[in-house]
């Protein structure tokens, strides 16, 4: 079976009546949890971006609390899981400012956890990759936002 392109799907969706479109969305949500989470975001949380950011930050905090006291191997695994969850939420929003804010928060929590002072090259590389990602995203934002985020980024990199 050949998969249709996004433009073909978009054209076909515009021809469907609302009831049938709703049924398709529900059927799509049944098959994968990510689809259900995305629909939940779009229907209930997209209008309140600040509340959504706060909820994701709470989830990040919870992950770091659970990680406390773990050995380095388990801490690495847990950090990758927290980052994977954070990136999933970033994909849902599609907003560069939300992406920047959540990644800065993740890096701040990672720095405060004390894991970067350990002898783990992988954790240091993970941190550096996220800082590079933040820098790249910040460069695409409006000048006023760039200034605020660059100040936060300098605190992360120790360039104050």
């Amino acid at each position: 079976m050949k998969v249709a392109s996004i433009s073909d799907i978009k054209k076909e969706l515009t021809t469907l009546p609302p009831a049938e479109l709703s049924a398709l969305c529900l059927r799509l949500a049944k098959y994968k949890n990510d689809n259900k989470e995305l629909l939940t975001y779009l229907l209930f949380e997209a209008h309140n971006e600040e509340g959504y950011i706060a909820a994701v930050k709470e989830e990040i905090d919870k992950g770091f609390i659970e990680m406390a006291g773990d050995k380095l191997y388990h801490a690495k695994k847990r950090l990758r899981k927290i980052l994977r969850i954070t990136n999933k939420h970033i994909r849902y929003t599609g907003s560069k400012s939300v992406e920047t804010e959540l990644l800065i928060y993740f890096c701040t929590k990672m720095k405060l956890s004390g894991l970067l002072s350990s002898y783990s090259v992988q954790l240091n590389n993970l941190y550096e990759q996220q800082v590079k990602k933040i820098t790249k995203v910040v460069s695409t934002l409006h000048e006023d936002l760039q200034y605020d985020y660059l100040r936060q980024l300098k605190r992360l990199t120790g360039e104050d």
Side-chain angles (χ1 to χ4, degrees):
M1 179 177 156
K2 185 181 176 222
V3 178
S5 69
I6 293 293
S7 62
D8 292 339
I9 292 173
K10 183 179 177 182
K11 288 175 189 172
E12 186 63 28
L13 287 174
T14 58
T15 65
L16 295 176
E20 197 173 329
L21 190 60
S22 175
L24 282 175
C25 286
L26 289 174
R27 187 169 177 200
L28 184 64
K30 286 181 185 178
Y31 285 104
K32 194 154 185 171
N33 200 34
D34 285 347
N35 294 341
K36 193 184 312 182
E37 288 175 355
L38 177 58
L39 277 174
T40 301
Y41 167 75
L42 292 172
L43 293 173
F44 303 111
E45 298 167 353
H47 62 279
N48 184 8
E49 211 169 68
E50 291 83 23
Y52 185 71
I53 291 171
V56 174
K57 284 181 177 180
E58 242 177 68
E59 198 170 335
I60 292 171
D61 287 340
K62 214 179 298 180
F64 274 95
I65 289 170
E66 291 172 2
M67 186 179 63
D70 279 354
K71 297 204 182 307
L72 189 61
Y73 172 76
H74 295 292
K76 284 184 210 175
K77 288 182 76 160
R78 178 118 19 209
L79 267 176
R80 286 193 295 264
K81 181 179 180 182
I82 295 168
L83 184 59
R84 195 170 46 249
I85 290 169
T86 304
N87 284 329
K88 177 177 65 170
H89 289 293
I90 288 169
R91 271 195 325 270
Y92 291 164
T93 64
S95 167
K96 298 294 185 188
S97 61
V98 171
E99 178 178 2
T100 305
E101 194 164 332
L102 290 177
L103 287 177
I104 285 175
Y105 189 75
F106 172 80
C107 288
T108 303
K109 294 296 284 187
M110 190 172 171
K111 192 171 184 177
L112 292 174
S113 70
L115 291 171
L116 294 176
S117 62
S118 64
Y119 299 104
S120 175
V121 175
Q122 293 94 350
L123 289 181
N124 288 327
N125 287 342
L126 177 79
Y127 180 80
E128 290 301 320
Q129 286 172 349
Q130 298 314 307
V131 169
K132 285 180 187 174
K133 192 174 181 181
I134 294 167
T135 306
K136 185 177 179 183
V137 173
V138 166
S139 67
T140 64
L141 294 173
H142 188 270
E143 291 176 6
D144 294 337
L145 291 174
Q146 277 185 11
Y147 177 74
D148 294 336
Y149 288 133
L150 285 174
R151 282 184 39 210
Q152 293 177 23
L153 190 60
K154 284 181 182 179
R155 276 189 235 126
L156 285 177
T157 58
E159 295 177 13
D160 261 348

